[in-house]
Amino acid sequence: MPMRKQITIRFLHRTVLFLFSFVITLCALFVLGNVQNFLDSSQSMILRFLLGAGGLLCIFSIFAFLFELYYIFHLRTVRYLGHCIMSGIACIVGLGTAVLAAVILLLSSGVQLS
């Protein structure tokens, strides 16, 4: 049974790392798109991808964080403390970028107050 747990936590770490790098890349692409005058449709597509990737990063980071907390308390070791901190930071980054992308999409669509 411990082998299965190790495979699960390694999968979560790799997924969080991939999604974190994907979110950073999409943020850079959005900023460069603003500088290079991309079309509005391209920018909104980048923002929708950023919204989805940020949400997934937040969800996977929460799962990784919970697994790591379980390992810290169950195994009584601080081996996973660094990973736990990184998962918390990745969760905050994912949530922040998802919220920011949603706000930009909402504002760009033209909010009409009655």
Side-chain angles (χ1 to χ4, degrees):
M1 191 74 169
M3 181 64 175
R4 185 168 183 95
K5 290 180 183 178
Q6 289 295 326
I7 291 172
T8 303
I9 197 72
R10 281 191 297 182
F11 170 74
L12 284 173
H13 287 155
R14 289 177 183 162
T15 305
V16 167
L17 180 64
F18 169 74
L19 286 172
F20 185 79
S21 60
F22 187 62
V23 164
I24 296 300
T25 303
L26 283 175
C27 287
L29 185 63
F30 179 73
V31 169
L32 288 174
N34 281 332
V35 172
Q36 301 253 338
N37 295 326
F38 282 7
L39 293 175
D40 292 340
S41 60
S42 300
Q43 289 291 82
S44 65
M45 183 178 63
I46 292 169
L47 283 172
R48 278 182 281 196
F49 276 118
L50 192 58
L51 178 64
L56 282 175
L57 176 61
C58 184
I59 290 169
F60 276 99
S61 296
I62 288 172
F63 284 130
F65 184 78
L66 292 176
F67 265 100
E68 291 153 356
L69 278 181
Y70 171 75
Y71 283 150
I72 288 172
F73 290 120
H74 185 261
L75 299 177
R76 302 212 193 287
T77 181
V78 292
R79 179 178 167 200
Y80 292 101
L81 186 61
H83 291 291
C84 193
I85 293 170
M86 287 188 284
S87 293
I89 292 171
C91 181
I92 292 169
V93 168
L95 185 64
T97 55
V99 167
L100 187 63
V103 166
I104 292 173
L105 280 171
L106 181 69
L107 291 176
S108 67
S109 66
V111 179
Q112 295 179 356
L113 299 175
S114 49

